[in-house]
Amino acid sequence: MTYAPFKDWENDGRKGAPRGGLTSNLKNQIIMAVIKLDKVSKIYDAGKIPVQALDQVNLEIERGEFTAIVGPSGSGKTTLLNIIGGLDRPSSGDIEVGGVDVDQLSDNKLIDFRKDHIGFVFQSYNLIPVLTALENVEFVMLLQKRSRKERLERARELLQAVGLEDKMDKRPSELSGGQQQRVAVARALAPKPSFILADEPTANLDSTSAGNLLDIMAKLNAQEGITFVFSTHDPRVIERARRVVTLVDGAIASDVRKSEPVQ
Amino acid sequence: MLPILAWRNIWRNPTRSLVVILAISMGIWAALFMSGFATGMIRDYIDSNISNVVGHIQIHHPDYAREKDVRLQVDPLPGLEAFLASQAPVRAYSARTLATGMVSTANGSRGILIQGVRPDQEAVVSNLRQNIREGTYFEEGRKNQILLGQPLAEKLHVKLRSKVVLTFQDLEGNITNGAFRIVGLFNSGNTPFDESRVLVQASDLGGLLHPADQTGTPDPVHEIVLLCRDPDSLVAVQKSLQTAFPRLLIENYRELAPELELYESQMKSVSLIYLTIIMLALIFGIINTMMMAVLERFRELGMLMAIGMNKGRIFSMIVMETVLLSLAGAPLGLLLGGLTIHYFNVNGLDLSAFAKSLNQYGMGTDIRFDADPGVYWQTAMMLVVTAFLASLYPAWKAIRLKPVEAIRKL
């Protein structure tokens, strides 16, 4: 399996891009992406008793890292990823992505920010069931107002990269779990995001599919410098990660960087 | 891709979508059926009034309508007839001699309008000849023939070939009378019309109107009824007549029978009324379906927002889905409606079972459905508006969701 290098998407004359009031200077900063959380706390008080999901979390993730966020259920992994991904807002503390204080963005600007800078891989794939694999990958580029030619070219390139060149016209229901998750990875990569957030991406996969998926992601990380942040319970993911951040009761209990490269 | 996505989304649940599409088709069909029926009925009423009673234009002495005096004649008659004959937009005209009086039989009498007609002219201007149900139209060379409406004949207990006596004032104000034999009984489908007048030949009535020493003078004419080739040219004809004969009262059927104008205006709005009622019923069905479609896709909509689909696009997608779903039902509904209108336009809808009550109101019993071609566009546009309105609430619900709540976890 080969992966064609990304083409330069900067200054490519997209209609109306960039959206959400981001300047080109800011975009350049994001390309040097650093995720920076400073004393981030999150308290859910929808019930009778407030729940502290995150407690004064300080975390920096640099470009090109392959990071696993681990911890027992209820430790705050998902909340942390939601906050990094701009899907949820912290109760206190600052979060910066490439120098942008994402907490200060309006809902609509946040959506545009996610579209251009964050790739998501969901545990249950979350592909659009009525679109083919190719169309699913193409979709987010459509939101970016890329030309049809560009979209098709890149979608095919990415599906080839994840080993699904012969499944492009299949709908999600015609694909196995592992294949669907590979389409999800291709979709996450399509907009050329600054980093990819993956929530337990191997949780629903058998060991062969999980291994294949990890191979693809590790290769993308190693060859293209794509930043990956996972939340996971899966020892296979933890084993392949170069950095493992352990959360316990909403706080970082340990943060270990491994010396050996990802395989 | 958004329209493709919206279209495919409709077919996620084919049964549910088909039910809505069929409901919309049936709604459109029902609206067109009702509209075609009502338009046909109103047009029949107007046409029947034009062909039986008022024509397109009537010419009278200016005071005739108020006085009903037999001396108030249309004058100058020869000049007017020559003018009418020269006017291309005028299809036909009929000069009538009128007298109010009484028809008497051995069984009783009734006040009526006696209408003296020139048989050849009247046969073209009105449907009198076609409406003869028993007996014949006026036969040439026979004097003192009379035509009665069937309802009047029933009330007077007379039948074909019975003799009746007409009593009225002559031109000098003397009471005069004449005996007539019934040669035909007509039924125009307009009971009030059929009960209120009898028809005789103008020459017979004219002879009786003139005092004995003035026989041989031309028959008096109190009313000229004319039909235009094209109803749209009616106002122009009326104007040119009025310019040429400023001393005569020239009125079109809308002025003579304002209720016809009212019905004409209703004809334009009736389809809109039916459509509005049916669309109001449909809108709730569409809202319900789309709400179900949105609620069951909450997680997916959250995912779309998470990957960068903004609220405007989500809103547009739901609106597009609703409009496409609704429009999918339009072709079938329009086709069925159009075919139904065409079928009943050609074959008519027989309502003779209700003839008595319909005729009381001047309505025919053979309803020929009719619809202005604009009705189909109007229907399609109304459907788009309905679908758009129906989409607003589900679309609003869709954009209100928070992606993090919709997908629960990343």
Side-chain angles (χ1 to χ4, degrees), chain A residues 184-200:
Chain A
V185 171
R187 180 180 66 182
L189 288 165
K192 262 211 136 177
S194 308
F195 59 92
I196 288 178
L197 294 177
D199 175 54
E200 309 214 18

Side-chain angles (χ1 to χ4, degrees), chain A residues 123-136:
Chain A
Q123 181 180 335
S124 47
Y125 329 131
N126 277 353
L127 298 175
I128 302 168
V130 294
L131 298 184
T132 63
L134 188 75
E135 289 166 339
N136 261 287

Side-chain angles (χ1 to χ4, degrees), chain B residues 177-320:
Chain B
N177 55 54
F180 289 78
R181 191 169 297 277
I182 300 170
V183 295
L185 295 174
F186 60 86
N187 194 328
S188 68
N190 183 338
T191 305
F193 173 84
D194 294 348
E195 282 182 349
S196 64
R197 68 195 68 201
V198 295
L199 287 101
V200 297
Q201 293 181 89
S203 51
D204 294 338
L205 183 58
L208 289 165
L209 280 170
H210 284 298
D213 57 342
Q214 286 182 25
T215 46
T217 51
D219 301 325
V221 169
H222 303 104
E223 178 175 279
I224 290 187
V225 178
L226 61 94
L227 287 182
C228 296
R229 287 183 201 285
D230 176 8
D232 294 336
S233 66
L234 186 147
V235 176
V237 171
Q238 185 184 9
K239 269 188 186 164
S240 65
L241 272 167
Q242 195 66 75
T243 309
F245 302 94
R247 289 169 59 193
L248 289 173
L249 179 64
I250 296 157
E251 297 167 290
N252 65 44
Y253 69 89
R254 296 187 186 105
E255 293 159 336
L256 288 157
E259 79 276 10
L260 294 186
E261 190 177 18
L262 176 74
Y263 281 129
E264 273 189 333
S265 66
Q266 274 185 355
M267 199 159 63
K268 288 170 188 160
S269 55
V270 71
S271 61
L272 199 66
I273 294 167
Y274 285 125
L275 265 176
T276 306
I277 294 168
I278 287 172
M279 292 296 161
L280 269 175
L282 279 178
I283 201 167
F284 293 103
I286 300 172
I287 289 175
N288 182 46
T289 302
M290 287 313 295
M291 276 307 290
M292 283 164 73
V294 165
L295 291 175
E296 75 188 10
R297 271 156 54 205
F298 238 52
R299 186 181 171 84
E300 186 182 314
L301 291 168
M303 177 275 293
L304 289 172
M305 279 184 166
I307 65 169
M309 192 163 178
N310 63 31
K311 292 181 178 182
R313 278 200 163 106
I314 299 265
F315 195 90
S316 306
M317 185 178 73
I318 303 295
V319 170
M320 213 180 284

Side-chain angles (χ1 to χ4, degrees), chain A:
Chain A
M1 182 172 56
T2 56
Y3 180 69
F6 291 119
K7 289 180 180 157
D8 181 12
W9 282 44
E10 299 307 310
N11 306 317
D12 57 356
R14 267 187 294 157
K15 284 178 280 178
R19 303 275 305 260
L22 298 170
T23 64
S24 57
N25 183 40
L26 198 53
K27 279 203 84 168
N28 289 336
Q29 290 178 47
I30 295 163
I31 296 308
M32 303 301 292
V34 175
I35 300 165
K36 189 175 171 189
L37 281 76
D38 184 20
K39 294 181 184 165
V40 167
S41 294
K42 177 72 184 178
I43 298 167
Y44 293 108
D45 54 1
K48 285 181 181 172
I49 304 162
V51 176
Q52 177 105 32
L54 291 178
D55 185 12
Q56 302 274 317
V57 172
N58 294 311
L59 180 66
E60 284 188 18
I61 296 172
E62 288 174 15
R63 190 177 183 202
E65 284 197 313
F66 202 72
T67 305
I69 295 170
V70 303
S73 294
S75 59
K77 301 187 296 296
T78 298
T79 304
L80 182 60
L81 254 67
N82 285 344
I83 284 175
I84 294 173
L87 296 176
D88 207 351
R89 294 180 187 274
S91 305
S92 64
D94 294 321
I95 167 146
E96 282 182 17
V97 175
V100 176
D101 185 348
V102 290
D103 195 33
Q104 297 304 310
L105 297 177
S106 67
D107 281 355
N108 266 334
K109 284 186 177 176
L110 200 55
I111 291 174
D112 282 335
F113 183 82
R114 287 198 297 266
K115 175 185 73 194
D116 289 328
H117 303 293
I118 307 174
F120 291 95
V121 178
F122 304 94
Q123 181 180 335
S124 47
Y125 329 131
N126 277 353
L127 298 175
I128 302 168
V130 294
L131 298 184
T132 63
L134 188 75
E135 289 166 339
N136 261 287
V137 179
E138 217 189 317
F139 188 75
V140 72
M141 292 183 279
L142 177 89
L143 301 178
Q144 289 182 312
K145 299 186 176 174
R146 302 277 173 191
S147 72
R148 180 168 164 73
K149 182 171 173 281
E150 247 182 321
R151 294 197 313 257
L152 282 173
E153 202 174 290
R154 182 159 175 78
R156 288 198 181 107
E157 195 177 87
L158 287 166
L159 284 171
Q160 200 178 353
V162 296
L164 292 175
E165 57 271 26
D166 57 338
K167 304 284 184 193
M168 291 188 190
D169 296 327
K170 302 285 181 198
R171 290 197 181 182
S173 57
E174 299 169 296
L175 299 172
S176 69
Q179 288 167 336
Q180 287 188 56
Q181 197 61 304
R182 280 190 271 159
V183 175
V185 171
R187 180 180 66 182
L189 288 165
K192 262 211 136 177
S194 308
F195 59 92
I196 288 178
L197 294 177
D199 175 54
E200 309 214 18
T202 56
N204 294 337
L205 303 182
D206 59 57
S207 56
T208 312
S209 301
N212 285 341
L213 187 75
L214 283 169
D215 287 341
I216 290 165
M217 293 197 285
K219 196 166 184 179
L220 287 167
N221 174 258
Q223 293 183 352
E224 309 298 334
I226 308 283
T227 311
F228 281 90
V229 182
F230 306 94
S231 76
T232 187
H233 281 107
D234 190 341
R236 294 165 301 189
V237 181
I238 298 167
E239 190 185 326
R240 303 283 287 270
R242 279 192 299 186
R243 181 179 176 191
V244 179
V245 177
T246 308
L247 281 177
V248 176
D249 296 334
I252 293 177
S254 70
D255 185 353
V256 179
R257 279 189 166 83
K258 297 179 188 172
S259 51
E260 66 271 24
V262 184
Q263 290 169 8

